[in-house]
Amino acid sequence: MARFLRPLLRGTTYTRFLHLWVPDAAFSVWMFVQPGMPWVFALMLVPVGLIPAVRVGEGVQARLLLTPGEAEPGISVEPARTWRDRLRTVLWLQIRLALGAVAAMATVWLPILAYSMASAAVGHVPVDAPFVKDLPPHWSYALLVPVPLVVLYGVVVGLGELATAVARRLLGPSAAERLAALEERTEQLLERNRIARELHDSIGHALTVAVVQAGAARAAGSPEFTDRALEAIEETGRAALEDLERVLGVLRESGQPVSSRPTLVDADRLLESARASGAKVDAEVTGPLDTLPGPVSREGYRILQEALTNVLRHAGAVPARVRVEVADGALTLEVRNALPDGRGGSGRGSGLRGIRERAALLGGRARTGPDGGDWQVRVELPMG
């Protein structure tokens, strides 16, 4: 019994009932103007449904009244972009009008029928009572009084469920809208992946520099070297905080592009940071870096940052050769360093994987691994 009465305790039942009554209110006004011509009102809804913006209004109403509070209602609030969507809107308006008429009739006549039966049970039959006006009064009609009310309950709940199902079918996202939503979701996932790489590269570089500098300062035991190490740690930490603030800005305001992210024009900052950490970096930069497209220049900066971080993390203060070249419509990045004690690397770290992912997203290629006694990171990115 409690399960049967549960819909009466849900606000959705009453908002759906209100949704069913809305078109009937307009229909009632029309019947005062043109009584006896209800079909004209239905025909008038056809050109109305062909207006693209009408689909937006119907979608908003359906979401607010048929599916209140649902995170994924399956109802579109976009204007009709194709004739198929417009025809679906027309069909929805016709069905909504029909369901509203049934709901209005049920909510008016079923309570009247229950009252008439109760009156007949006590010996008085209203002259205009439907169904019972020609029957003699009898106490047994009292047993039938709940029947119209139960039917009314079933009509209200059932029509609300039916209207919701039809709305999801006819006002649901079209194939184009579903494709757009899928593309948006893909972009969100790519953005999350990019943010993860940003944090890994920037914060990982700063922590690596801090660890290397602190260890070198403790081993050196020189106040002058300690001062230089602390200065390098401070500068690297400040740069990492700026990067972190930019990434958090993306998370807080996802609609804003991160146009202020560092590019290869700022590569000197990376090189100086690596040199301050004890690495002997020999850099060669050729070609106009300022002509690189924004995405290529920003991702190139992160690739170079990760490559230098790997040098400091895995090889220590060893000589490293950096080559940055812009030529023939492509950007070439190469970082080589000697392998300490002849050791090789696995090439399976998350940083190297991030380098390969960045290159692949831009249509380029990356090679990481031992090469002629050195560890090499070589990336080629197309500019177009």
Side-chain angles (χ1 to χ4, degrees):
M1 188 64 178
R3 183 177 180 181
F4 177 76
L5 296 177
R6 190 176 303 162
L8 294 176
L9 304 178
R10 295 203 315 254
T12 303
T13 301
Y14 303 99
T15 59
R16 289 175 176 176
F17 178 64
L18 176 61
H19 185 272
L20 292 171
W21 261 93
V22 169
D24 192 69
F27 180 71
S28 300
V29 174
W30 170 261
M31 291 302 294
F32 278 111
V33 177
Q34 292 289 344
M37 301 179 66
W39 55 273
V40 176
F41 185 83
L43 287 179
M44 291 174 56
L45 292 179
V46 174
V48 172
L50 295 178
I51 301 174
V54 171
R55 188 173 180 84
V56 178
E58 291 298 317
V60 171
Q61 287 186 58
R63 282 194 175 192
L64 290 176
L65 299 177
L66 296 180
T67 59
E70 292 188 19
E72 297 293 337
I75 297 174
S76 173
V77 290
E78 297 292 329
R81 293 186 172 87
T82 65
W83 279 103
R84 174 181 170 83
D85 288 342
R86 296 180 185 184
L87 294 176
R88 291 168 68 198
T89 306
V90 170
L91 181 57
W92 159 252
L93 291 176
Q94 300 294 331
I95 294 178
R96 184 182 179 187
L97 179 63
L99 294 179
V102 174
M105 292 178 61
T107 52
V108 170
W109 290 108
L110 288 176
I112 291 177
L113 179 59
Y115 171 77
S116 300
M117 288 182 175
S119 298
V122 297
H124 173 69
V125 180
V127 176
D128 57 349
F131 305 113
V132 298
K133 62 181 180 179
D134 297 327
L135 299 178
H138 195 274
W139 64 268
S140 61
Y141 289 138
L143 301 177
L144 299 177
V145 170
V147 174
L149 301 179
V150 172
V151 173
L152 175 62
Y153 166 79
V155 167
V156 171
V157 175
L159 288 181
E161 294 287 348
L162 180 59
T164 304
V166 174
R168 288 194 172 107
R169 181 71 176 177
L170 297 179
L171 297 180
S174 63
E177 291 172 344
R178 287 195 295 269
L179 180 59
L182 180 61
E183 291 177 348
E184 182 181 357
R185 175 61 176 164
T186 302
E187 288 295 328
Q188 291 175 349
L189 292 177
L190 289 175
E191 182 70 6
R192 289 174 58 185
N193 193 30
R194 186 190 65 76
I195 289 174
R197 290 197 304 267
E198 290 281 330
L199 289 175
H200 174 273
D201 294 348
S202 180
I203 306 303
H205 175 77
L207 291 177
T208 299
V209 169
V211 170
V212 171
Q213 290 282 17
R218 184 176 60 180
S222 168
E224 294 80 7
F225 186 88
T226 300
D227 289 341
R228 291 197 301 273
L230 290 175
E231 182 179 356
I233 292 173
E234 180 184 5
E235 292 178 356
T236 306
R238 185 178 293 111
L241 286 174
E242 293 175 358
D243 289 342
L244 179 60
E245 184 62 29
R246 278 191 289 267
V247 172
L248 293 178
V250 173
L251 294 176
R252 286 191 292 262
E253 302 181 38
S254 58
Q256 290 189 354
V258 195
S259 57
S260 59
R261 284 193 294 145
T263 64
L264 276 177
V265 177
D266 308 309
D268 288 342
R269 187 177 76 179
L270 286 179
L271 300 175
E272 291 302 320
S273 176
R275 292 185 181 113
S277 298
K280 301 172 183 177
V281 180
D282 180 18
E284 177 185 354
V285 180
T286 58
L289 295 181
D290 55 351
T291 62
L292 288 171
V296 174
S297 189
R298 288 191 292 268
E299 296 304 312
Y301 178 93
R302 292 306 184 191
I303 290 172
L304 178 59
Q305 184 180 53
E306 179 58 31
L308 291 174
T309 300
N310 283 339
V311 172
L312 295 172
R313 182 181 299 157
H314 301 294
V318 299
R321 297 185 299 278
V322 175
R323 185 169 69 91
V324 181
E325 180 181 6
V326 179
D328 300 327
L331 167 68
T332 301
L333 289 170
E334 185 179 52
V335 179
R336 301 177 68 96
N337 63 276
L339 291 171
D341 303 326
R343 292 175 294 176
S346 64
R348 293 178 293 185
S350 60
L352 297 179
R353 183 173 63 250
I355 289 176
R356 291 189 285 266
E357 288 177 353
R358 288 179 187 274
L361 285 174
L362 293 175
R365 55 184 179 178
R367 182 185 181 279
T368 61
D371 181 69
D374 292 339
W375 182 267
Q376 178 195 54
V377 174
R378 180 183 175 86
V379 178
E380 297 177 5
L381 302 176
M383 293 175 58

